Amino acid sequence: MFSRWNWVACGFYLVLNICSPDASGGLVQSCGHIIPESPVLALGSNFTALCILNESCLDFGNIYASQIIWKIKNRVVPKEQYREINRTVSSVTFNDTSLLATPLTCNILADGQIEQNIYGITVTVGLAPEKPENLSCIVHQMARFTYDMTCTWNPGRHTFLDTQFRLRYSWPEETFPDCIPKDVNNSCTIADIQFFVNTEIWVEAANALGKAESDPLVVDPVDIVKPLSPQNVSVSSGALPNFLKLFWENWISDTVMTLKFNIRYKIVGDTDWMEVPLEDTASPRTSFGIQGLRPYTKYVFSIRCMKEDGLGYWSDWSEEKTGITAADKPSKGPPIWRIIDASHSPAFWTVHLMWKPLKPFEANGVILQYEVTVRDKSSLSSPPKKYNVTSTNHTLQLLIGTYEVTLIARNSVGASPPSVLLIPANNSKGPVKNLRTLPKHDKLWVGWTAPNSYVLKYVIEWCLVSSSSDCIIEWQIAPGDVQGVDLKGIKPFKCYLITVYPLYADGQGSGQSVKAYLKQDRPSKGPTVQTKKVGKAEAVLTWNHLTVEEQNGFIRNYTILYKTIDGNETVVTVDPSKTEYTLSSLTSDTLYTVRMMASTDNGSRTGPDFTFTTQKFGKGEIEAIVVPVCLAFLLIVLLGVLFCFNKRDLIKKHIWPIVPDPSKSNIAHWSPQVPAKHNFNSKDQMYPEGSFTDVSVVEIEADDKKSFSEQDLKPFDLLKKEKSTSEGHSSGIGGSSCMSSPRQSVSDSDEGETTQNTSSTVQYSTVVLNGYRDQTPVQVFSRSESTQPLLDSEERSEDHAGGADIPAQRQQYFRQNGGQDETNTDRPCFERTKQITHANEGDLVGFVQLQISGQSSQPLGLGMEKNTQEAALSNVLQTCTEGQTVRPETVEENPLSVDEMPKSYLPQTVRQGGYMPQ
Amino acid sequence: MAAADSPSAALRRRDLCSRGIRLAGKMRADVVDLLDAYVEQQGLDASASVAAVEGVPLAAVERWDEQTGTQRLLENLAAYRAFRALLAQMLEEQREQLGEADAGLGRALAAVLLQVSAFTYHLEELLRLESRGIPGEEEDGPPAPPRLSLFEQKLRGLGVLRELAQWAVRSVRDLRQLAKPSPAPGAAPGLAESP
């Protein structure tokens, strides 16, 4: 318990000692300190620090040197580096100071657990300065009497410490203030340096770890001067055309130093300088005359100076000054050439003389005018003609002949030597041989082999070949002893036509031409290919040549690349002279993509893609297929016709059944009062030609009215409305063809309507007139137009005798099944049945049997109308049978003639509007 | 004279003479320029007559061509030591009067003072080459100047510069005389030669 309280007290005391202000100075009273205090150490050296504890802390804190822990930053130094010197002193040793870091602290482990910092120091590690090397100085002249000396040196390695560099200099008996560099450590400038005394100059470098001095430099500052360049430079020209004099002023008086000079000059615009020999300007001077210059040429001059004995440095070049030499007469005549145009007249030439302006060094002044003299060589008696021209061309109209043209250029000083051009009547002399070109950087060299004869000179013409403009000729003259010239101003990627003419003393040789490029490139575009003709397995491609502007070089070949969508590309190389090519072995009915590439020596360019599809059939294949097919078809048709012809009776039987002529019918001999009962069993008699091939029976229940749709009943409603006057009398029989549609049946007044149905119908029916009320009905045979089945009563009379009430419940419809429009034929009849049913308020029996009963107010009229309608029906029946147009107007007209008609059946041939055999 | 006989000593003397000549020439040019600036700065008349400066040997001397080399060097040394002290005093007075107001004149004075010092060094070196003892400065130095008024200081300064300019001319001639090849030993005592 005591021990615990003791340790607590010790810790408390320790904290108080460390943290409480000192009574005397107000500073922290530490329990110890480190020796040395914030040392500066050489990098890589060893270092030992001591931590010394205060005695007072020992008494109250029970802390001893054995409890000391050394730390670098927050890292504990290994115990192996500690040494307990005594109970209050602990040391730590580092063999390599590069491992040190700041701060180095001395800590105590109070009570074995609480770590308290006792003291800390900052350790600075660096290097001693190296000896500065390579000290050199230069004295810059700043003004006329002001000289600054700037010395530079190599400061050596980085020391990691604050290192002071001082430039020191002294005379043997005079020491000057040090020059301390600002912001740098390798140079310093001393102002107002004094000459003519050997001055010792050295550099001193010092930091916390040491000091170093450079080797001394002993020099008289006047020997290391870089003077200011001469000022007020001027150039004057005298009367001589090749002389200029240069003047200047020196900044340095001869009492300080004497100077030598270096003069350079060049023609304005040139890049290279020429220099006056140094030995010519090695003595002090303020002017110098330069000779050997070109007349009337602008020169630029510059000058520099240095100490005459060669010690020190050259000054900078002075400002440039220009001067122009005096003019002189032109040194040579202008080169002259001509273009002869003989197209206007066979006897005259239009001669375009042209000459080049003299170069400045040839003109030697401003050319004021040219004098052209033309002498007719073929006519010696004629005087020469002279022309004064200010331009560089002149056009003459000359008779064809040989002429000598002389040209002189004149400036303010004098005239040039004459240039002579001989224009012969014809160019019959030998041409140059082996004309060739070769690009040389930005020039195009043109070479040739000289003719056998002596050549005075050569004229080289060239022009830029263009597809859009004429060839503008440029030319130059070469001496007769050369066999090649460099053409300047040639543009790359342009085609030039170059022609070389040899000029002889007595004539002119014919020109030889060659096309050339200074530099080739790939074409600027590719050819646009298209098809001229496409076949099944071949396609003819055409394209246009690239224009000369697009070629950018000599087209070496064309390459055609074509492929199908999923196929490999096929490549064909074509001669560049061609504009058409036929692709063969193509697949028929296939889409091909083709493009074309033009190639020069320097690359290729591909044109746009073009697609085409080969034909499915080759030439003549379609004809080979179509013609046999047509022939086969014709043959089949012919055979069919023959077959039909052979079988015409059978066909006629089915298609055009023979309709009996009613006028020839034996019914005409019937008695109207005693009509004979029709023998329905004798069908052969009724239809001797066997028009009916089949008969079917349709049974309809009397109560089956509801099975008829509303749509089916509509036509009857219309009929009811439009034929109200005849309602109940002519309904059902009313003049409508069985072949007619319900609408047609209703619209009897539509004269234009026709009946399309040509199906076979029932051609006769028996009209049974019931007796009025209890009267005995009169049975009347009437020709029926209806396609309705035969009346049940008639059938019943044959097949179901005695069954008088059966039709009231069940009706049987005969259905003719012999026509090809069987269904269509049946349906109108069926619909018409419904119509009639509707008109009779659903009494199908009354409809089927057309019972004329008491509901009709005009029974007789009805009977007559019935007859009238019957005639019309027979007409319609014929229409149905033969497919002829129905004429419903007959139904409308019939009532008007009812009174005039006999009240018995008459052959319809005697009645207007009656049945007429078709 | 043993040292003077050796080739290196001869080269050294020629070099010293050459530099001394050019230094004296530059010093004269600078002093002439400084005179103009000084007259203008001090508000003096350039044609003002100034009495001889006390303590400075006269540059003009009779029978100059009969002087030996050592005599020339000693007279030059005495004169330039006097000039050095006078110029230092002038520089001090200049700073007291103008402070930093006219730094240009002060720099020019300092430059001339340096040149005088350098020339003095040259003379001392030449005397050493002659194996002659160099007189002490105290015994040859000018007496302490009396306290002068400001105007008198200006006039004295003008006189110092004028005398220095004259001495510069003479020094050039003296050193050229010294730079000439030495006559055969025994032909003439010391550095005596004819100009």
Side-chain angles (χ1 to χ4, degrees), chain A residues 145 172-173 196-197 220 307, chain B residues 19 22 33 118 121-122 124:
Chain A
F145 302 110
E173 295 181 347
F196 311 120
V197 182
D220 183 348
K307 197 159 171 273
Chain B
R19 292 180 188 279
R22 293 162 66 190
D33 291 340
Y121 163 73
H122 278 108
E124 291 171 351

Side-chain angles (χ1 to χ4, degrees), chain B residues 25-174:
Chain B
K26 184 174 187 299
M27 187 163 55
R28 170 175 164 70
D30 290 351
V31 169
V32 169
D33 291 340
L34 179 58
L35 264 174
D36 295 339
Y38 185 82
V39 167
E40 184 180 355
Q41 178 65 38
Q42 302 294 348
L44 300 174
D45 185 358
S47 60
S49 176
V50 180
V53 179
E54 189 177 356
V56 177
L58 289 176
V61 62
E62 292 182 359
R63 305 172 69 173
W64 172 82
D65 54 345
E66 295 179 0
Q67 284 188 326
T68 63
T70 304
Q71 284 178 317
R72 298 178 195 276
L73 289 174
L74 288 175
E75 283 188 9
N76 273 275
L77 183 60
Y80 282 97
R81 281 180 172 174
F83 283 129
R84 188 167 60 186
L86 290 168
L87 286 172
Q89 187 179 356
M90 282 177 64
L91 192 57
E92 186 65 25
E93 292 168 354
Q94 178 73 21
R95 285 173 181 160
E96 288 176 359
Q97 294 169 17
L98 302 176
E100 299 298 324
D102 193 346
L105 185 62
R107 279 202 300 272
L109 271 174
V112 172
L113 176 57
L114 275 178
Q115 290 168 1
V116 170
S117 297
F119 196 75
T120 305
Y121 163 73
H122 278 108
L123 296 172
E124 291 171 351
E125 285 295 300
L126 283 170
L127 282 171
R128 285 193 190 94
L129 285 175
E130 298 296 326
S131 301
R132 295 294 299 266
I134 300 172
E137 280 198 58
E138 286 75 16
E139 58 187 29
D140 290 334
R147 192 63 186 174
L148 301 175
S149 66
L150 182 59
F151 184 71
E152 290 171 331
Q153 289 177 6
K154 291 181 178 178
L155 284 180
R156 190 191 59 186
L158 181 61
V160 169
L161 293 178
R162 281 181 177 173
E163 196 66 28
L164 179 58
Q166 291 180 11
W167 262 107
V169 174
R170 180 185 164 177
S171 298
V172 170
R173 297 184 64 189
D174 286 335

Side-chain angles (χ1 to χ4, degrees), chain A residues 524-545:
Chain A
S524 56
K525 63 176 286 189
T528 301
V529 66
Q530 57 187 359
T531 53
K532 180 180 179 182
K533 181 182 177 184
V534 177
K536 178 182 178 182
E538 70 283 335
V540 180
L541 303 178
T542 61
W543 61 90
N544 292 324
H545 285 305

Side-chain angles (χ1 to χ4, degrees), chain A residues 586-759:
Chain A
L586 303 179
T587 307
S588 64
D589 194 23
T590 303
L591 180 66
Y592 279 89
T593 301
V594 62
R595 56 199 169 100
M596 197 157 179
M597 183 168 68
S599 302
T600 66
D601 292 338
N602 285 54
S604 305
R605 181 84 73 175
T606 304
D609 287 353
F610 181 80
T611 57
F612 65 90
T613 304
T614 51
Q615 294 184 353
K616 193 169 186 176
F617 301 102
K619 183 179 180 182
E621 282 188 8
I622 293 178
E623 290 83 349
I625 294 172
V626 169
V627 170
V629 167
C630 291
L631 291 175
F633 179 75
L634 289 175
L635 184 61
I636 291 170
V637 169
L638 184 60
L639 291 174
V641 168
L642 290 174
F643 178 78
C644 292
F645 185 76
N646 287 336
K647 300 292 182 181
R648 63 184 183 278
D649 294 339
L650 182 61
I651 294 171
K652 187 176 179 183
K653 175 182 176 182
H654 284 279
I655 299 176
W656 298 290
I658 297 174
V659 179
D661 187 356
S663 62
K664 296 176 182 179
S665 175
N666 53 8
I667 199 170
H669 306 287
W670 292 348
S671 171
Q673 286 80 19
V674 185
K677 185 179 180 180
H678 186 268
N679 186 7
F680 285 95
N681 290 328
S682 182
K683 288 184 179 179
D684 291 339
Q685 184 178 354
M686 284 187 67
Y687 308 109
E689 290 145 4
S691 297
F692 297 122
T693 58
D694 192 12
V695 174
S696 64
V697 176
V698 178
E699 295 183 356
I700 299 175
E701 294 296 330
D703 296 332
D704 203 16
K705 178 183 176 184
K706 291 180 182 177
S707 64
F708 303 140
S709 65
E710 288 294 324
Q711 190 174 4
D712 296 329
L713 297 176
K714 272 183 183 177
F716 300 103
D717 293 339
L718 292 172
L719 181 65
K720 186 178 180 180
K721 291 176 182 175
E722 296 178 3
K723 299 194 126 189
S724 58
T725 55
S726 60
E727 184 178 359
H729 302 288
S730 60
S731 62
I733 307 297
S736 177
S737 170
C738 67
M739 306 307 295
S740 303
S741 66
R743 179 177 292 275
Q744 289 169 334
S745 300
V746 170
S747 304
D748 289 343
S749 62
D750 294 338
E751 296 179 4
E753 290 190 6
T754 60
T755 301
Q756 302 294 330
N757 203 322
T758 58
S759 62

Side-chain angles (χ1 to χ4, degrees), chain A residues 330-336 355-359 362-363 367 370 407-410 415-420 457 477:
Chain A
S331 60
K332 61 176 286 191
I336 184 171
W355 53 92
K356 291 183 179 297
L358 291 171
K359 294 182 173 66
E362 297 167 339
I367 299 300
Y370 299 94
L407 178 67
I408 291 173
R410 188 177 292 278
S416 70
S419 296
V420 179
K457 51 191 173 184
I477 290 179

Side-chain angles (χ1 to χ4, degrees), chain A residues 741-852:
Chain A
S741 66
R743 179 177 292 275
Q744 289 169 334
S745 300
V746 170
S747 304
D748 289 343
S749 62
D750 294 338
E751 296 179 4
E753 290 190 6
T754 60
T755 301
Q756 302 294 330
N757 203 322
T758 58
S759 62
S760 298
T761 60
V762 176
Q763 300 181 6
Y764 293 94
S765 65
T766 300
V767 179
V768 180
L769 298 176
N770 292 337
Y772 180 68
R773 297 180 184 268
D774 295 329
Q775 294 178 2
T776 302
V778 178
Q779 192 175 34
V780 178
F781 287 93
S782 174
R783 183 180 176 90
S784 173
E785 62 159 355
S786 174
T787 58
Q788 295 173 7
L790 292 175
L791 296 177
D792 189 43
S793 59
E794 293 173 330
E795 282 293 317
R796 198 171 54 243
S797 64
E798 292 293 326
D799 299 330
H800 306 285
D805 55 344
I806 293 175
Q809 300 172 357
R810 180 182 175 186
Q811 300 177 21
Q812 289 182 343
Y813 291 80
F814 285 95
R815 185 179 180 193
Q816 186 174 347
N817 199 21
Q820 58 183 358
D821 293 329
E822 173 186 359
T823 305
N824 292 338
T825 306
D826 190 39
R827 180 174 175 81
C829 294
F830 179 70
E831 289 179 349
R832 188 166 172 224
T833 303
K834 290 187 288 185
Q835 175 187 355
I836 296 169
T837 303
H838 179 75
N840 292 328
E841 300 294 336
D843 188 358
L844 293 175
V845 176
F847 157 67
V848 173
Q849 296 183 348
L850 293 178
Q851 293 174 353
I852 302 173

